[in-house]
Amino acid sequence: MSAAAVRDPGLQPERTSLSWGRTLLALFAADLLIWRSWAVAGSQSAPVRGSAGWAGAGTTDYLGVCALAAMVATGVLCLCVLARVHQLRDSSYAAPASLMRWAAAGVIVLGTSAVAAIALGP
């Protein structure tokens, strides 16, 4: 069976690509909200003197870690979305398992960062 016979002639690949784009937009919005909570917490806190290491870390430091983790997770998810959309344009085969593992890890990290930012937020 040729690749042309396997390909879905309908609009399903296009709808799937559009839904990936909407999902990515929602992830960027969550990422921006996490960064905003870090910026607000940073502007409200006074600098801590004499703190060393994680034992002396304040809420702002933890929110910074959440913001960094969210940024990395959003970047990984962006690459997964671009790869999947490219695959959908070329064929209708299922996504590789490694791509789905990376996407799942990115969603878990971003979700954990969002929950932590809400819990630590001002």
Side-chain angles (χ1 to χ4, degrees):
M1 191 178 270
S2 68
V6 175
R7 180 151 174 90
D8 181 12
L11 295 175
Q12 183 180 5
E14 184 178 348
R15 286 192 309 266
T16 304
S17 298
L18 291 172
S19 68
W20 274 96
R22 287 189 303 270
T23 302
L24 189 59
L25 184 63
L27 295 174
F28 279 130
D31 201 22
L32 289 174
L33 290 173
I34 294 170
W35 278 85
R36 181 184 171 273
S37 69
W38 179 46
V40 167
S43 67
Q44 292 176 351
S45 67
V48 178
R49 294 176 191 236
S51 64
W54 287 103
T59 303
T60 306
D61 298 329
Y62 292 124
L63 282 172
V65 171
C66 289
L68 181 64
M71 182 183 70
V72 170
T74 303
V76 167
L77 287 167
C78 183
L79 292 175
C80 290
V81 166
L82 291 175
R84 187 60 187 148
V85 167
H86 186 325
Q87 288 173 347
L88 283 172
R89 265 191 241 129
D90 293 341
S91 69
S92 63
Y93 295 111
S98 61
L99 181 70
M100 292 295 105
R101 282 189 208 110
W102 278 104
V107 167
I108 290 170
V109 169
L110 186 58
T112 305
S113 298
V115 169
I118 290 169
L120 294 170

